[in-house]
Amino acid sequence: MKDEPAAVREAQTNPQRRMAERLGELLVREQRLAARDLEQALAAQAEMGGMLGRVLIRLGLLSEMDVARTLAQQLGVPLVTATEFPAEPVEVARLRPDYLLAHAILPLRIDGPRLRVAMAVPQDAFLLRAIELATGLQVVPALALESELQAGLERLYVEQEAIEEEDGAHSGSGGGDGGEFVEHLKDLASEAPVIRMVNQIIGRVIDLRASDIHIEPFEDGLHIRYRVDGVLQDAELADGALAAAVTSRIKLLAHLNIAERRLPQDGRIKTRVKGHELDLRVSTLPTVYGESVVMRVLDRASIRLNLEDMGFSSDTLERYRTLLERPHGILLVTGPTGSGKTTTLYASLAKLDATALKILTVEDPVEYQLGGVNQVQVQPQIGLSFAHALRSILRQDPDIIMIGEMRDTETAQIAVQSALTGHLVLSTLHTNTAAAAIVRLEDMGVERYLITSTINGVLAQRLVRKLCPHCRKPIELPEASLERSGLDRFLPEGVRTVHAAAGCPECKHTGYLGRTSVHELFVMDDAAHEAILSGADATTLHAVARRSGMLSLYEDGLRKVAAGVTSLEEVMRVTQG
């Protein structure tokens, strides 16, 4: 290619790593980037893969425009912005729209024998050669911002009339200005103040030990809240005018469709904050004042994969381990969202010998990668549902199967068949009590005789906040309160002292620091077997299990109150007495 700059040809023949280092050196020389930040970015690139420019943007060290200006200088190619994109698609023979979209190529114009194109990766020699061979034209590449390129391609080649109308309504003019509004959003999302703000919002989860970030637009501004130890805490109120830019920035990081603001979307962000590798599960939801964003935080460094550290009482843990050691059957973990079910399953799998056993999981999403365990990510958009994945993995000759969640009748029935054919199946259900899981399986169409033949046990659990060890205070309860609450069963005779929350700087004046679990373990014994076959409801099954020695969630919580681990108020809040 005659018009191709020498810098581009040189970049195309050198290894990607060397090119990344040259880009980094140029950014440092121009004082756009600190040398220490470059080292961090190169380390992240070695771990995550991808191009250095994209890594720098994802880490929030530079804006997309800053990287693009330096990269264009390095490659010796022009930098084009959205204002220079054509208003109508440039027709190029033998270049199909789906090919352009798939490879992020935007034809700008044809100048005689030359085809000028905007690309996110103009140094891709193979792609340039492929275009030349397909079109017979001499390709002259230019660099464009990836976000602008995506918006331009969607505007020109994807039929999105509904989105354009929506964008037009927001921009205060006709649907034709929708693409410009989306591009404006992307410009805002790439500004340094917005990048800094989003990085600060995400960064605070480490200091606060938060499990979720809630970003909610209301009439009076953008509310930012964090869920700490299961309880939401207000953090700050930002200017409502920033709502669209902040949401757009998060969508870009999560690889979501920035133009779609009328439908809920789900995505993921992987990032490093203060030495912690965070996996954020992002959910957006359209509301009256804009899009509400919730980011669920998985801190891979802090996940506990040891059953002994998860708050099990010694007798419950011993019985649970016995169920886990059975060669076949179903073991269920139940509780509401955010009650630690998946972590318990991971810790259970970590107890098993992955070198001697074939362990397969089907999850949505795969939250934590376990050594020696084959994990499958469900992808409903391409038809890979729980049921579909389960049918396939049974041909893989597994010993143990973990199903992230039993969501439908088909999944439940395949799980039962797997247990009957000699597999140990671990899974979760959304029910309030252990006994209610049996009735839920009946509702899902599993016959009672199959339930009694396959279910080994059901573990219900909740997470309760632990009292801060630095400030918890002893209180003495009246005899009547001890009897009414049932605490007298778990305290030594004559003792009426328990502990309550106080508040200090260590726990940020909440009185609580960290969480632990309370459990109830339903075991399928002869009495439960008979009760299920006779058609007992959840209340009756619960009573049968209590007579066999099961302690309820509330009673297990009372044991932790008596031990000074948590407060009576906290147990009442979580288990509702």
Side-chain angles (χ1 to χ4, degrees), residues 169-212:
H170 280 282
S171 62
S173 59
D177 293 329
E180 289 177 19
F181 181 73
V182 173
E183 288 160 15
H184 174 62
L185 274 183
K186 290 182 179 180
D187 287 340
L188 287 177
S190 298
E191 293 292 331
V194 174
I195 292 174
R196 201 157 42 240
M197 182 178 179
V198 171
N199 288 347
Q200 286 169 353
I201 289 170
I202 295 173
R204 288 192 67 187
V205 302
I206 301 299
D207 298 327
L208 293 173
R209 299 174 293 101
S211 60
D212 302 87

Side-chain angles (χ1 to χ4, degrees), residues 127-207:
L127 197 51
L128 293 171
R129 185 64 181 149
I131 301 170
E132 280 196 330
L133 290 171
T135 62
L137 298 171
Q138 197 176 322
V139 179
V140 182
L143 177 66
L145 298 187
E146 199 166 353
S147 57
E148 291 189 348
L149 197 56
Q150 178 79 18
L153 286 164
E154 287 179 1
R155 176 173 61 83
L156 292 169
Y157 296 104
V158 181
E159 293 180 3
Q160 294 191 55
E161 290 117 352
I163 291 175
E164 286 175 5
E165 284 172 16
E166 174 73 0
D167 290 337
H170 280 282
S171 62
S173 59
D177 293 329
E180 289 177 19
F181 181 73
V182 173
E183 288 160 15
H184 174 62
L185 274 183
K186 290 182 179 180
D187 287 340
L188 287 177
S190 298
E191 293 292 331
V194 174
I195 292 174
R196 201 157 42 240
M197 182 178 179
V198 171
N199 288 347
Q200 286 169 353
I201 289 170
I202 295 173
R204 288 192 67 187
V205 302
I206 301 299
D207 298 327

Side-chain angles (χ1 to χ4, degrees), residues 303-312 316-317 320-321 324 331-335 338-352 367 370 402 426-428 458-463 516-521:
I303 193 164
R304 295 172 301 180
L305 291 180
N306 194 337
L307 286 172
E308 288 79 3
D309 298 334
M310 298 182 66
F312 278 92
T316 306
L317 180 57
Y320 182 73
R321 274 181 173 160
L324 203 54
L331 182 53
L332 296 173
V333 181
T334 75
S339 59
K341 300 186 300 295
T342 304
T343 305
T344 298
L345 286 183
Y346 279 145
S348 302
L349 290 178
K351 276 286 173 194
L352 300 167
E367 290 187 357
L370 297 166
M402 192 268 266
L426 310 180
S427 188
T428 69
V458 183
L459 179 77
Q461 76 174 50
R462 299 287 188 280
L463 294 176
T516 189
S517 307
V518 292
H519 305 93
E520 66 181 31
L521 182 59

